[in-house]
Every structure is written in C-alpha cells, then in structure tokens.
Amino acid sequence: MIRVGILGYGNLGKGIESAITQNPDMELKAVFTRRNPEGVVIRTEDVPVLSTDKLPEMTEEIDVLVLCGGSATDLPQQTPEYAKYFNVVDSFDTHARIPEHFANVDKVAKESGKTAVISVGWDPGMFSLNRLYANAILPEGKDYTFWGKGVSQGHSDAIRRVEGVKNGKQYTIPVEKALDAVRRGENPELTTRQKHIRECFVVAEEGADLAKIEAEIKNMPNYFADYDTTVHFITEEELERDHSGIPHGGFVLRSGVTGMNREHKHLIEYSLKLDSNPEFTASVIAAYVRAAYRMNQEGMSGCKTVFDIPPAYLCAQSGEELRKNLL
Amino acid sequence: MIRVGILGYGNLGKGIESAITQNPDMELKAVFTRRNPEGVVIRTEDVPVLSTDKLPEMTEEIDVLVLCGGSATDLPQQTPEYAKYFNVVDSFDTHARIPEHFANVDKVAKESGKTAVISVGWDPGMFSLNRLYANAILPEGKDYTFWGKGVSQGHSDAIRRVEGVKNGKQYTIPVEKALDAVRRGENPELTTRQKHIRECFVVAEEGADLAKIEAEIKNMPNYFADYDTTVHFITEEELERDHSGIPHGGFVLRSGVTGMNREHKHLIEYSLKLDSNPEFTASVIAAYVRAAYRMNQEGMSGCKTVFDIPPAYLCAQSGEELRKNLL
C-alpha cells in the first residue's frame, strides 16, 4: 500500500481524496491543513486532519505527500520545503516559472534522496506529454493547443470584480472553425481572437447598469479585450442551477509532414472532455504518486516531470501484464 | 550523430530513410537487404546497399539497426538474431505474440548488453501508450479503439485472392455513430459490425461474374462476413488514380468516471489521420532509435517497449529545453 498524505483540502485536495478510493494500492493516511484542523471535515472515515506543523513528525508514516496549494505563492515555497522530508507531487502550473521551480525542488530532493514530481495534471501534464510525443514523431510540423469548453477561474474572478456584478462565471470555448482548419492540415496562423471565444454568465446587482457592465467586461484588457466575448445576464438561481460545475478540457494537435519531398500530411490530435477539472487533475496526480513512490524505491531521486517518467511506472500492473493487455 | 542501419527496403525501410532526413542528429549508414544488393536502388546518395551477410562486420559502424521485416516470419527470427550485435528497433505488431517475442529478444539483448526496442509504431506503439496513460488516469472506465479510415493490407490481399479479381483495395472505416456514442459517454457495448465498416474497390477481370465476386467477398469468413461491407467495381485506371496511397489512422478513447460517488464523466481521446501509414510508423521508429541509442549509452540494456522509455529520451533537446518549451 502506498500511504498518501494530502496538504490542502480545497477542490484539488478533495479530488485526490476521491482518486485514492479508485486506486486499490493507495491509502489516505492524513490530510494536512494550514487552517484549524478542527474546522476541516473530510469525507474519508477514520483519517485524521492535522495541522501542517505535524508534517515533520510524519515522515515515517507517509510515502508520498501531494501538495494541493496554488502555483502563485504556495507551491514555490511548499514543494522545496516538503521535498526535504517526503516524496512529493505537485501541480505547479505557471508555465514560465517551471524552470526555476524545477531547479529549486531538484536541489532539495537530491540532497534528501526524495523523489519530487512537479507540474502534474493535464496542462501542464498530459497536454505537455502529447506535445512532446508529437514533436518527437513529426519534427517538421506545427503545434496547436486549444482550451475548453471550460470554466476559467481567473476570468470568472475578473468578472466578479466589475462594479455592479454580484456573481459570474466565464467559459473559454475553442473556435470550431479554427480547429477544423487545423484538422484539415491547413497550418493556419491564428490570432488570439481566432482561437477562442469567451462566454460570460453574469448575475448583476439590483438596479445595476447592464450595458455598462457588459461594456466593461468586453473591453477589459488582457482578460477579454482580445477576444470575441458574449455576456449573458442571468439570475443567481440560474447560475447555481446551470453553471455550478467545473468542467474543462481542450485539444492538442500537431500537423506535420513526412516523405522525401515532404509530400504526406499527418495529424495527431489529443483531446480531453472533463466534467470536473480538479478531479481529473487529481486523477493524473494519483498515477504520478505511484510513479514517485516506485522511482524512489528504486533509488531515483531528485525533481522529475512527466517527461522523465517511464509510462509503466504509472500503472499498478507488472510489465508482463501491461505488455499483454495494453500494448 | 546517431549512425542508423536499415534492414529491409520495403515501404517501412523507405520511410525510415526519409525520416532520417528529418532528424538532424541521425545519419543513414547503410541499407541491408536479403536480395541482391545490386538490384536495390535507394534514394540517399553515397550510402551503400549491402547484403545482410555483411551485418556482423558492421558492428562498429552502426549505432542502431532498424529491422523493417514482417511480423509473421521475419522479426521473430531477426530481432533476437541482430540484438546480439546491435541496438535494434522493430515494429513487431502481432499483439498476441508480443510476450513471447519480448522474452526472446530480452534474453539476447541482456547478454549482449544491447538495447532492443520492440513493437514501435502507432498500433502497437502510440495507441498502446495512450491506452496505458488513459488507464492509469481513469482506473474506472472503458477503452475503445477504432481504426481507419485506412487501407488494410491483409484485407486487400484477401480481395485479390478471389476468383475473377484482378486487383483491389480495402478501406477500414470506423462507424461514426458508434464513435459519437462513445464520445457522449454512453459506454456502449459494440459488436464487430457496429464498430467498423469495410469498403472495397475491386478491378474485375474481363467477363468475370461481378455478382459472384461481390457475394464471395461479402461472405468471406474472418475478413468480411462479420462486417457491413460495400463493394465497388472500378477500372484499373481508377484504382491507380484514386487508391494508390496508403493512408490510415484511428482513434483511442477512454471514457471514465471520478468523484466520491463516481458522478463526473471524463473522455480522453487520441486520434491519428495519416496520409502514409508506413512513413508515420517510420517516424515513430526514428524517435525510438534516438531513445535506444541514448539508453544504451547510459547502460540500460535488454528489451524495452514504449511503456519502459521516459518520453524525454525521444527528443534531441535537453531536459531544460523540453521543460521550457513543451511542458
């Protein structure tokens, strides 16, 4: 049994908790929180909720600690800190800062002899893997990534900061026409506006100026101004009823050519359609928890990403079983 | 530079030759043939075509030998034989016999200290990898593989054996309705007939009984009887003009659930649309040639499959570059 600890009990931590119930070789050992543990109620029976202060005492009881904090401030500090004591997995997703995060974590994990897997999830994560495989196979080609249809937390937050807005949710939606052009092998150059549209569902405060809200959202720099954005005003009840989920997904495509005269076209496409973004991310993490545990058992320490890990390490089955059943 | 040898100059061997021109860190060192080398003309200048008899003398000049023979009789004999002398990559694709082939190759490669990668291509190969990743992520779910639209060599051969048939080509086509049901998360149980249709283009001999040919094809056990099959009679010119390519492709899907009550559905889909089946297979092999070379340099010997190889080994870029550009 792989004994798993969870640090942070938000959407992702809850996803890890439920993913563990789907992996018979794992057990949840404890949930750690920076809040008052007595205020945190988890759904797994007979598993303690402990303060993060207790973590250094738990090194003998936990094989892999999953860090469920945010990428902005939590993980840059937590992952190097806890890689001193534990094999860890995080979902650090600030693409531009991955090299720096990797270096920080690698240094600590090499010293402690622990295995740390960073940036696990679907993007970065499974999308990255698909970019890598597709680039390795088709060295001459063009990559495309489309996101959605799905809820963007950052854009939903931006809507809610607009004056007169009580609540809101934003969906990122890939432009079907652009996707189809890529699929036809046309290798289009696509602008931001041509790739995604943004759809907003907004609950306005009573008496608010709807036209003003709509204009303010549509013209918001960085978030919406570069996109075709639609704004729908709905009631709080409708928002709750129709938009309370956290779906997401997307598409990674590579279009390339082969042949002595580059005369043959090929398209590789990977896509995800997810009812729950955090639960799917957690499911990917659970598989890499297994890999971290095994690699550490075999003496492979330091920081790793999905690029470094042999696929077989993700599965509970033996090499023989995998070759027989999945190859 | 990785010095590559090709054994067998059919469609796959030609594909390897052209893939090498797309990978600047590889060079073609020699093509080996069981035929009279003087009768084999290749498209790369200043590269010798040699008899397979010369192979044992070339161990110092070739880093990786790509075995381009057939799975029925060539590879079961060739891969263990040449793993004595070379790092090798093959595309052994008889799924049921992979365990046996693996064991034979592993024994030899461990003794010789060489790295042998077997069953590389897209199925087995990239499709297998996608099955593995998807199963690791969604332990509770259902797998689907659809092939096509593409040319099946075996079924085209079967058509050509029918009396009165001069030439013919068969396309395997996935049933769109079945694919859509899978994509909707319905987890359908699909019969052979519900998954694929078979479309045949047949050139009949002059005066042949077309109705008899059509009936014989449609009722052919194993090949066509279990499918909805359509037969089109065309001229030799039409066959040459419209059906001389070797396109293929297909879809690997996994539909699964997460959540404490398994209340959220997820769909993972990987698909390929290939103008040239052998050239794409060769492109996958080229990436694994690099992996075989590197793993051997690092002292990892024995038989490997796509499941055992860390993705980063497929790419010419360093770990830093990959993390920066693709993660």
Side-chain angles (χ1 to χ4, degrees):
Chain A
M1 286 301 257
I2 305 170
R3 301 165 303 168
V4 183
I6 295 172
L7 170 51
Y9 195 66
N11 283 333
L12 185 61
K14 287 175 185 159
I16 303 289
E17 180 185 26
S18 95
I20 288 170
T21 69
Q22 299 190 285
N23 287 284
D25 57 339
M26 299 184 192
E27 63 173 318
L28 179 59
K29 205 67 195 176
V31 170
F32 298 90
T33 179
R34 288 174 298 185
R35 295 180 269 169
N36 178 358
E38 286 174 20
V40 177
V41 179
I42 68 170
R43 298 160 300 172
T44 309
E45 281 179 22
D46 302 325
V47 168
V49 179
L50 304 171
S51 163
T52 50
D53 302 341
K54 300 279 182 205
L55 267 165
E57 302 165 25
M58 297 285 283
T59 56
E60 294 302 308
E61 277 146 279
I62 286 172
D63 295 311
V64 183
L65 181 66
V66 182
L67 305 172
C68 300
S71 296
T73 55
D74 298 334
L75 297 176
Q77 178 262 321
Q78 287 176 348
T79 314
E81 179 175 340
Y82 294 113
K84 279 180 211 156
Y85 309 107
F86 299 98
N87 301 312
V88 295
V89 181
D90 81 16
S91 60
F92 184 79
D93 66 359
T94 311
H95 290 263
R97 295 185 59 197
I98 287 174
E100 171 194 345
H101 188 55
F102 183 93
N104 293 339
V105 175
D106 193 46
K107 187 171 176 294
V108 176
K110 279 198 175 128
E111 282 166 15
S112 65
K114 298 295 181 187
T115 307
V117 189
I118 63 160
S119 301
V120 178
W122 58 275
D123 196 6
M126 299 313 296
F127 272 18
S128 323
L129 267 180
N130 276 279
R131 284 187 282 263
L132 184 148
Y133 278 116
N135 273 268
I137 296 170
L138 296 175
E140 296 179 49
K142 203 161 154 45
D143 290 310
Y144 295 88
T145 302
F146 292 83
W147 293 274
K149 181 181 178 174
V151 173
S152 163
Q153 209 50 60
H155 289 79
S156 299
D157 291 345
I159 291 173
R160 288 190 287 260
R161 287 192 297 263
V162 171
E163 201 191 319
V165 169
K166 206 174 142 196
N167 208 342
K169 204 126 185 189
Q170 192 266 185
Y171 294 92
T172 305
I173 305 172
V175 175
E176 205 59 48
K177 218 174 74 176
L179 254 173
D180 286 343
V182 173
R183 288 188 182 128
R184 282 194 302 270
E186 293 174 10
N187 287 340
E189 292 292 336
L190 297 166
T191 63
T192 299
R193 190 178 299 273
Q194 286 169 327
K195 286 186 71 185
H196 295 95
I197 56 178
R198 299 201 175 275
E199 188 172 26
C200 308
F201 292 88
V202 178
V203 181
E205 282 166 6
E206 222 179 288
D209 181 342
L210 303 190
K212 187 164 164 278
I213 291 175
E214 180 167 345
E216 198 168 324
I217 292 174
K218 287 186 170 176
N219 296 314
M220 198 184 295
N222 302 320
Y223 287 92
F224 294 102
D226 298 334
Y227 298 85
D228 289 337
T229 302
T230 55
V231 176
H232 309 278
F233 289 99
I234 60 174
T235 65
E236 188 77 54
E237 293 69 38
E238 286 169 323
L239 189 77
E240 172 66 28
R241 186 191 67 202
D242 302 331
H243 304 284
S244 61
I246 320 176
H248 220 310
F251 303 80
V252 173
L253 306 102
R254 185 165 176 88
S255 166
V257 290
T258 65
M260 291 306 269
N261 302 305
R262 312 302 186 250
E263 66 272 32
H264 292 125
K265 289 183 176 185
H266 305 277
L267 183 77
I268 303 174
E269 176 170 349
Y270 179 79
S271 69
L272 296 172
K273 203 168 73 188
L274 315 174
D275 271 3
S276 166
N277 183 353
E279 283 180 8
F280 187 82
T281 300
S283 298
V284 179
I285 290 175
Y288 281 94
V289 161
R290 184 178 292 117
Y293 174 74
R294 286 209 190 155
M295 291 176 91
N296 192 260
Q297 292 240 314
E298 297 183 11
M300 295 178 242
S301 63
C303 190
K304 310 284 176 192
T305 75
V306 294
F307 294 163
D308 307 308
I309 297 175
Y313 279 74
L314 305 178
C315 295
Q317 299 101 295
S318 69
E320 286 85 342
E321 287 172 307
L322 293 175
R323 283 189 293 274
K324 187 163 180 287
N325 301 323
L326 294 174
L327 196 63
Chain B
M1 288 298 259
I2 305 170
R3 299 166 303 167
V4 182
I6 295 172
L7 171 49
Y9 195 66
N11 284 332
L12 185 60
K14 287 175 187 161
I16 303 290
E17 179 185 26
S18 95
I20 288 171
T21 70
Q22 298 190 288
N23 287 284
D25 58 338
M26 298 184 193
E27 62 172 319
L28 178 58
K29 206 65 193 175
V31 171
F32 298 90
T33 179
R34 289 175 296 186
R35 293 180 270 167
N36 178 357
E38 287 175 21
V40 177
V41 179
I42 67 169
R43 296 161 302 173
T44 310
E45 281 178 22
D46 303 324
V47 169
V49 179
L50 303 171
S51 163
T52 50
D53 301 342
K54 300 280 181 204
L55 268 164
E57 302 164 24
M58 298 284 285
T59 55
E60 293 304 308
E61 277 146 277
I62 286 171
D63 295 313
V64 182
L65 181 66
V66 182
L67 306 172
C68 300
S71 295
T73 56
D74 298 334
L75 297 174
Q77 178 261 322
Q78 288 177 347
T79 313
E81 179 176 340
Y82 294 113
K84 280 181 209 154
Y85 309 107
F86 299 98
N87 301 311
V88 295
V89 181
D90 82 16
S91 61
F92 185 79
D93 67 358
T94 311
H95 290 263
R97 297 185 59 197
I98 287 174
E100 172 194 345
H101 188 55
F102 183 92
N104 292 341
V105 175
D106 193 46
K107 187 170 177 294
V108 176
K110 278 198 175 127
E111 282 167 13
S112 65
K114 299 295 180 185
T115 307
V117 189
I118 63 161
S119 300
V120 178
W122 59 274
D123 195 4
M126 299 314 296
F127 273 18
S128 323
L129 268 179
N130 276 279
R131 284 187 282 264
L132 183 148
Y133 278 116
N135 274 268
I137 296 170
L138 296 175
E140 296 179 49
K142 202 161 154 46
D143 291 309
Y144 295 88
T145 302
F146 292 83
W147 293 273
K149 180 181 177 173
V151 173
S152 162
Q153 209 50 58
H155 289 78
S156 299
D157 291 344
I159 291 174
R160 288 191 286 259
R161 286 192 297 264
V162 171
E163 201 191 320
V165 170
K166 204 173 141 196
N167 208 342
K169 204 125 185 191
Q170 193 266 184
Y171 294 92
T172 306
I173 305 172
V175 175
E176 206 57 50
K177 219 175 73 177
L179 253 173
D180 287 343
V182 173
R183 288 187 181 127
R184 282 194 303 269
E186 292 174 10
N187 286 342
E189 293 290 337
L190 298 167
T191 62
T192 299
R193 190 178 299 273
Q194 287 169 326
K195 286 186 72 185
H196 296 95
I197 56 177
R198 299 202 176 275
E199 189 172 25
C200 308
F201 292 88
V202 178
V203 181
E205 281 166 6
E206 224 180 286
D209 181 343
L210 302 189
K212 186 163 166 279
I213 290 174
E214 179 167 346
E216 198 169 325
I217 291 173
K218 287 186 171 176
N219 295 314
M220 199 184 295
N222 302 318
Y223 286 92
F224 294 102
D226 297 335
Y227 298 85
D228 289 336
T229 301
T230 54
V231 176
H232 308 278
F233 289 99
I234 61 174
T235 65
E236 188 77 55
E237 292 68 38
E238 285 169 325
L239 189 77
E240 172 67 24
R241 186 191 68 204
D242 302 332
H243 304 285
S244 62
I246 320 175
H248 220 311
F251 304 80
V252 172
L253 305 102
R254 186 165 174 88
S255 165
V257 291
T258 65
M260 290 305 268
N261 301 306
R262 312 301 186 250
E263 66 272 33
H264 293 125
K265 287 185 178 184
H266 305 277
L267 183 77
I268 304 174
E269 176 169 349
Y270 179 78
S271 69
L272 296 173
K273 203 168 73 187
L274 314 174
D275 271 2
S276 166
N277 183 352
E279 283 180 10
F280 188 82
T281 301
S283 298
V284 179
I285 289 175
Y288 281 94
V289 161
R290 184 178 291 117
Y293 174 74
R294 287 207 190 156
M295 293 176 90
N296 192 259
Q297 292 240 313
E298 296 183 13
M300 295 179 242
S301 63
C303 190
K304 311 284 176 192
T305 75
V306 295
F307 294 164
D308 306 308
I309 297 176
Y313 280 73
L314 305 178
C315 295
Q317 298 101 297
S318 69
E320 287 86 341
E321 288 172 307
L322 293 175
R323 284 190 293 275
K324 188 163 179 285
N325 301 323
L326 294 175
L327 196 64

